Amino acid sequence: MEAAECYHCGLPVPRNSGYGLEILGEYRTVCCPGCQAVAGAIVNGGYQSFYDKRTTLSQNPAADATQDLDLYDNPEILARFIREPDAHTSEATLTVSGINCGACLWLIESSLSREPGITSVLVNYTTRRALIQWHTHATSLKAVLRAFHRIGFDANPYEFRAPAVALQRDKDRQLRRIGISGVLGMQIMMIAVALYFGSSAGMAENYERFFEWISMLLVLPVVFYCAQPFFEGAWHGLKYWQATIDIPVSLGISIAFLASSFATVTGRGDTYFEAISMFVFLLLATRYFELTARERGLDAVAHIRNRMSGTANRVGEGDVMTKVPLARLDVGDIIVVGVGDSVPVDGVVVEGQTRVDESIVSGESVPIVKEPGSEVIGGSVNLNAPFRIRVSRGYGDSTISVIARLAERAQSAKPAVVKLVDRISAGFVVGLVVISALVAAYCWMYAPERLVSTVIAVLVIACPCALSLATPAALSASVGALTRRGIILLNTDALERLAGIKRVVFDKTGTLTRGSLDLVDIQTSDDMSRKEALSIANALEVANTGHPVATALANQIEDSEYAAAQGLQYTAGGGVSGVVSGTRYRLGSYRFARPDGKIAAQDDRGVRSDEEHSGLVIYLADESAIKARLLFLDELRAGARELVGDLKRRGVAVTVLSGDRPEVVTSIANTLGVEDHHAEMTPQDKLDKLDDYQSEGDLVMAVGDGVNDAPLLSSAAVGVAMGTGADLARVIGDVVLVNSRLMDVGMLLDQARQTRMIILQNFAWAIGYNILALPLGVLGLVPPWIAVIGMSLSSLIVVLNALRLARPGRNQSASGPQGASYPRTMTGSRIA
């Protein structure tokens, strides 16, 4: 059967390539990620007519790197791939092909960092993605892509489906190589067994030569096809003077094959064909498990990205619906969301009623009712009926886009410990090659019969594969598990610091509490009903849209209870007055509302001098007397009390720093069981207190609002931000709790400590194995086939141990237990 042609460039499409996209209403197959990225940019930029009007096929990006790069001069296409953190900086995430080991990362980062205009290069070995930042006016995305091609790597703007497809393609290739090396290796092993027993039983020499020739022919595909990735990686490292793990691997395979082939042709010496096939098979199997670990790390971001649709049904003039790319949506556009569809961007319902699944952000699977006026989150799924929304945030600013971007940034970062391990591994490779050369020289002079077997054993048994995998595999699995939980690491170095936290400092408002007021109690005079008091208070506050008191009152008012107020007058530090149904009322602090009308020099926030409340109390009065007293409370977040108890059991000190009144802070601290609490603190006071703790030797984690508490979060050893919606894009800190679940703080500490333990275990195993194995190989006590098994098992143990981190701790509930609660039912008591 003739191979299909790539719709973009016309080259043959490899079987089971998996690359393709919808163009001009039909699914079109393409040959590679480069063609898919370029074609996707054309389609999403609204230029599909290019394919109708073209007279020749486009060039394949890998075949002619400069031809299609001109597309990236188009501003509309660039808008899909480029982000601008500030007015002078641009950044893009790229998918990079051709990365074989940590040395490739070093080559990319060091080469591109010298390119004019490029300010930051972060390449992630696990995801094969690069995060590049550059001066907007000094260079361009096209120049960055050309720089990649110049050093031998294919780079394309990141499409969120491409890594999963590319990863599956890598796994298919790896499985093919594993299968071939395994099948041929079994035949070679059977022949080796026959030769072993035949030599002791007096097998005829011509049969021995025959079996050796058969083994050499069988091993050819193993060396020249199955082991191809190792040779490519070694050549890449040698070309750029970088020590890679593939160098000793390739040397071991090459020496064994050449020596065995020489022995087969000349009839002198030993053969190692069975060791070659076993080595290639086991090393490929180990790398396949590594690919599986990478896939676990990608799953978390893929889960988020898969909730993002590529188009939306926009309602235009005459109620005509048009399918448009998300990049073309503007704030204020009306779009229709069908049943079963994902909500493409954040918005407000303007028509229809339904239930949606917001588990992508909230973590809760219980459907939530949405009706006109309700906010909906991009990425949530419509479960019941079609509805219309007004776009409130564009594609790039929607909650789901920001979460995905933060998660990808975390996976692209390279922690300091990984950089250290890369340097150690590179040094170890150089040392291993030098030691192998010295061993070869010694054997050449004193024991030539052992030269080949000893050098092969040294190169293979001490190859630092396990050492290079020890940290990246563990971090990738851990970051992926946290992301699935809704915990985004903006700085992966924070995992190491989290494991040693001794004190947690909490802000109060919006962190330990929900940050919104509830009307929990109302007392009225004998001549005014609760319903009437609520109606009048709401009328006075209704114009104060967005104020917590106005919101809390509106939540208690039914449509039939609305009243209108005229002549509204606001007094700073006091309250509001106005005329309702012909009577002038005052609503605010006691000193403002009381009949004499006098306002104290300093407002007491509604708390009478002879009473103390842990919440906000406001009073409603007419010209003659107090008519009602309303109590508002900021309710504790679910799980707050349980989290404090859990931290104390761990031996972690807990502190509350708040700018609120002492009586409010004391009440909440007592409810939570926190002895160390401080009130009426300015942002500078909080920083000073944090410095005091850290100067005493405490490693402090600060938990607060990701925007308002930026100074505190940025100064702590680890800053944990509770941020949602548009605020996510402005969050300052090392970790973001997307779901705002307090109990995730405990789970984060558990995961960090378990990650540190797994990394230490991997280090201990990898280093201990190499320390023990290298002397045995140098002394010639380990035959090549045992060296092969030892090295492969060492790497496999490290990867499997790291995969234990792929799921976060199960001891935390999905939503966290309920914290302290306050009465929510209005009382109808009277004011005496």
Side-chain angles (χ1 to χ4, degrees):
M1 181 183 293
E2 188 174 346
E5 291 185 349
C6 174
Y7 187 76
H8 181 73
C9 72
L11 293 177
V13 176
R15 183 181 298 177
N16 300 322
S17 74
Y19 299 111
L21 69 164
E22 185 177 320
I23 304 176
L24 298 173
E26 293 184 27
Y27 184 82
R28 316 284 187 173
T29 56
V30 293
C31 63
C32 66
C35 284
Q36 178 169 278
V38 173
I42 293 172
V43 171
N44 292 309
Y47 298 98
Q48 293 193 65
S49 59
F50 162 80
Y51 290 103
D52 275 336
K53 298 176 181 178
R54 64 179 178 174
T55 56
T56 60
L57 292 171
S58 302
Q59 292 291 318
N60 181 280
D64 186 350
T66 62
Q67 185 75 19
D68 282 332
L69 293 183
D70 291 338
L71 286 167
Y72 298 115
D73 289 329
N74 188 298
E76 291 192 25
I77 292 178
L78 287 176
R80 180 170 176 82
F81 300 117
I82 292 181
R83 302 177 295 274
E84 295 184 349
D86 56 59
H88 306 290
T89 305
S90 298
E91 71 175 21
T93 303
L94 308 177
T95 302
V96 186
S97 302
I99 295 177
N100 295 309
C101 64
C104 297
L105 274 61
W106 172 88
L107 173 63
I108 293 171
E109 292 174 352
S110 58
S111 298
L112 265 71
S113 295
R114 292 194 294 268
E115 290 288 327
I118 296 180
T119 58
S120 174
V121 182
L122 292 173
V123 187
N124 185 273
Y125 177 74
T126 301
T127 62
R128 264 59 169 182
R129 291 204 295 271
L131 179 65
I132 313 295
Q133 288 188 341
W134 64 90
H135 288 302
T136 303
H137 304 295
T139 188
S140 64
L141 176 60
K142 183 170 70 174
V144 172
L145 296 176
R146 280 179 174 157
F148 270 95
H149 283 278
R150 280 199 299 271
I151 58 174
F153 295 92
D154 291 330
N156 296 285
Y158 168 62
E159 290 282 350
F160 73 88
R161 291 182 180 88
V165 173
L167 189 60
Q168 186 59 48
R169 194 176 186 181
D170 286 346
K171 290 179 70 175
D172 291 343
R173 288 173 179 165
Q174 203 84 318
L175 280 175
R176 194 179 305 119
R177 289 189 168 98
I178 291 172
I180 293 172
S181 62
V183 170
L184 295 178
M186 284 189 289
Q187 312 309 313
I188 297 171
M189 289 295 293
M190 286 191 291
I191 293 174
V193 171
L195 287 171
Y196 176 78
F197 287 105
S199 62
S200 61
M203 178 184 288
E205 185 177 347
N206 59 327
Y207 285 114
E208 286 190 23
R209 299 282 80 80
F210 174 75
F211 282 133
E212 287 174 353
W213 275 97
I214 294 295
S215 296
M216 187 176 73
L217 292 175
L218 289 174
V219 87
L220 288 176
V222 176
V223 173
F224 292 101
Y225 172 69
C226 299
Q228 181 185 1
F230 311 137
F231 291 115
E232 289 177 348
W235 169 246
H236 216 71
L238 291 172
K239 184 178 178 181
Y240 293 100
W241 294 91
Q242 179 65 23
T244 71
I245 293 172
D246 287 328
I247 290 177
V249 169
S250 299
L251 279 175
I253 294 173
S254 299
I255 293 171
F257 175 73
L258 292 174
S260 300
S261 299
F262 177 82
T264 300
V265 173
T266 62
R268 299 194 305 271
D270 297 324
T271 62
Y272 305 97
F273 295 126
E274 75 283 0
I276 295 172
S277 60
M278 186 189 304
F279 182 37
V280 172
F281 170 77
L282 291 176
L283 192 54
L284 286 171
T286 301
R287 294 198 175 183
Y288 180 80
F289 278 105
E290 181 198 347
L291 282 176
T292 302
R294 283 172 50 200
E295 190 174 37
R296 292 283 186 89
L298 285 173
D299 279 348
V301 176
H303 174 61
I304 297 172
R305 286 290 191 183
N306 286 334
R307 287 288 192 94
M308 300 172 65
S309 56
T311 59
N313 295 314
R314 184 169 62 188
V315 180
E317 294 183 7
D319 213 34
V320 176
M321 283 194 300
T322 307
K323 184 167 287 190
V324 298
L326 296 187
R328 289 193 164 190
L329 286 179
D330 296 320
V331 174
D333 284 349
I334 304 297
I335 60 176
V336 177
V337 183
V339 179
D341 292 343
S342 293
V343 179
V345 293
D346 296 356
V348 178
V349 178
V350 295
E351 182 181 323
Q353 183 173 3
T354 187
R355 292 177 182 268
V356 300
D357 173 11
E358 292 185 346
S359 58
I360 189 70
V361 171
S362 68
E364 303 295 339
S365 58
V366 179
I368 300 174
V369 175
K370 298 294 180 180
E371 54 192 12
S374 301
E375 293 185 355
V376 288
I377 300 171
S380 55
V381 179
N382 182 17
L383 301 177
N384 293 113
F387 65 99
R388 297 188 178 194
I389 67 172
R390 178 180 290 107
V391 177
S392 58
R393 300 187 187 103
Y395 169 68
D397 297 326
S398 63
T399 301
I400 192 71
S401 294
V402 174
I403 292 173
R405 194 157 62 242
L406 293 176
E408 287 160 3
R409 182 184 293 273
Q411 289 192 334
S412 297
K414 181 187 284 190
V417 65
V418 175
K419 296 178 182 178
L420 175 62
V421 172
D422 287 345
R423 290 195 295 270
I424 293 174
S425 297
F428 199 95
V429 167
V430 173
L432 179 60
V433 173
V434 171
I435 290 173
S436 300
L438 294 175
V439 169
Y442 176 85
C443 290
W444 179 270
M445 292 185 293
Y446 299 106
E449 72 282 356
R450 290 171 43 201
L451 188 152
V452 175
S453 62
T454 303
V455 170
I456 293 173
V458 170
L459 286 170
V460 172
I461 198 169
C463 182
C465 295
L467 182 62
S468 67
L469 292 172
T471 303
L475 289 176
S476 176
S478 190
V479 170
L482 291 172
T483 302
R484 283 190 292 272
R485 175 77 182 186
I487 303 172
I488 309 296
L489 268 73
L490 305 183
N491 178 5
T492 46
D493 281 326
L495 265 180
E496 183 179 356
R497 297 194 297 272
L498 277 165
I501 289 298
K502 299 298 182 184
R503 180 181 294 272
V504 179
V505 171
F506 290 97
D507 175 52
K508 182 187 73 69
T509 305
T511 304
L512 292 173
T513 65
R514 293 188 297 112
S516 59
L517 295 176
D518 284 320
L519 178 59
V520 296
D521 186 30
I522 181 170
Q523 297 175 334
T524 60
S525 61
D526 293 335
D527 58 350
M528 179 173 285
S529 67
R530 170 186 173 276
K531 182 177 180 180
E532 183 182 4
L534 281 174
S535 179
I536 296 170
N538 182 69
L540 295 172
E541 282 283 354
V542 71
N544 201 9
T545 306
H547 191 279
V549 170
T551 302
L553 289 170
N555 290 337
Q556 297 292 333
I557 295 293
E558 299 177 1
D559 291 343
S560 60
E561 297 175 341
Y562 274 105
Q566 291 85 34
L568 293 174
Q569 296 179 353
Y570 295 91
T571 302
V576 59
S577 63
V579 178
V580 180
S581 300
T583 304
R584 175 164 291 278
Y585 292 94
R586 288 189 295 273
L587 180 72
S589 67
Y590 175 73
R591 292 175 182 173
F592 171 78
R594 64 187 182 182
D596 59 20
K598 294 180 180 178
I599 303 173
Q602 183 178 0
D603 176 45
D604 61 1
R605 302 189 187 185
V607 179
R608 294 178 58 176
S609 58
D610 59 340
E611 298 181 25
E612 283 193 358
H613 298 280
S614 60
L616 173 66
V617 180
I618 63 174
Y619 295 85
L620 175 66
D622 61 12
E623 296 294 341
S624 60
I626 296 288
K627 294 296 181 180
R629 184 173 64 189
L630 298 87
L631 173 63
F632 299 83
L633 290 177
D634 186 1
E635 191 175 29
L636 287 175
R637 283 190 184 272
R641 184 159 46 192
E642 285 75 10
L643 173 61
V644 170
D646 179 55
L647 292 173
K648 287 184 173 182
R649 285 190 293 273
R650 297 168 186 264
V652 177
V654 180
T655 298
V656 175
L657 303 180
S658 175
D660 211 336
R661 293 174 295 131
E663 58 268 23
V664 175
V665 176
T666 300
S667 174
I668 288 178
N670 290 340
T671 301
L672 296 176
V674 177
E675 293 81 14
D676 186 23
H677 53 86
H678 306 271
E680 295 184 339
M681 301 196 80
T682 65
Q684 185 59 50
D685 293 335
K686 293 180 181 181
L687 289 178
D688 292 341
K689 196 66 180 176
L690 179 66
D691 289 340
D692 291 341
Y693 292 133
Q694 295 189 142
S695 64
E696 294 171 1
D698 286 350
L699 202 60
V700 180
M701 175 171 71
V703 184
D705 180 276
V707 179
N708 299 328
D709 297 319
L712 183 67
L713 298 186
S714 60
S715 300
V718 178
V720 178
M722 306 183 72
T724 57
D727 284 347
L728 282 174
R730 300 183 288 126
V731 156
I732 299 295
D734 302 297
V735 185
V736 181
L737 304 183
V738 174
N739 303 326
S740 295
R741 286 191 299 248
L742 274 177
M743 290 303 289
D744 282 347
V745 172
M747 203 279 291
L748 176 63
L749 293 175
D750 283 338
Q751 189 77 2
R753 291 174 180 178
Q754 190 177 6
T755 301
R756 182 173 65 175
M757 181 183 69
I758 293 294
I759 289 175
L760 290 176
Q761 289 174 353
N762 285 351
F763 268 137
W765 170 260
I767 294 173
Y769 165 79
N770 282 313
I771 290 175
L772 292 175
L774 185 57
L776 295 177
V778 169
L779 294 173
L781 300 177
V782 180
W785 66 273
I786 290 184
V788 166
I789 294 175
M791 188 280 296
S792 301
L793 284 179
S794 175
S795 300
L796 188 61
I797 288 171
V798 165
V799 173
L800 293 178
N801 193 37
L803 285 176
R804 293 166 52 200
L805 293 166
R807 297 187 65 184
R810 302 181 188 179
N811 59 330
Q812 308 290 349
S813 65
S815 60
Q818 293 297 317
S821 59
Y822 295 97
R824 302 295 297 272
T825 304
M826 302 301 106
T827 60
S829 56
R830 301 295 181 183
I831 297 177

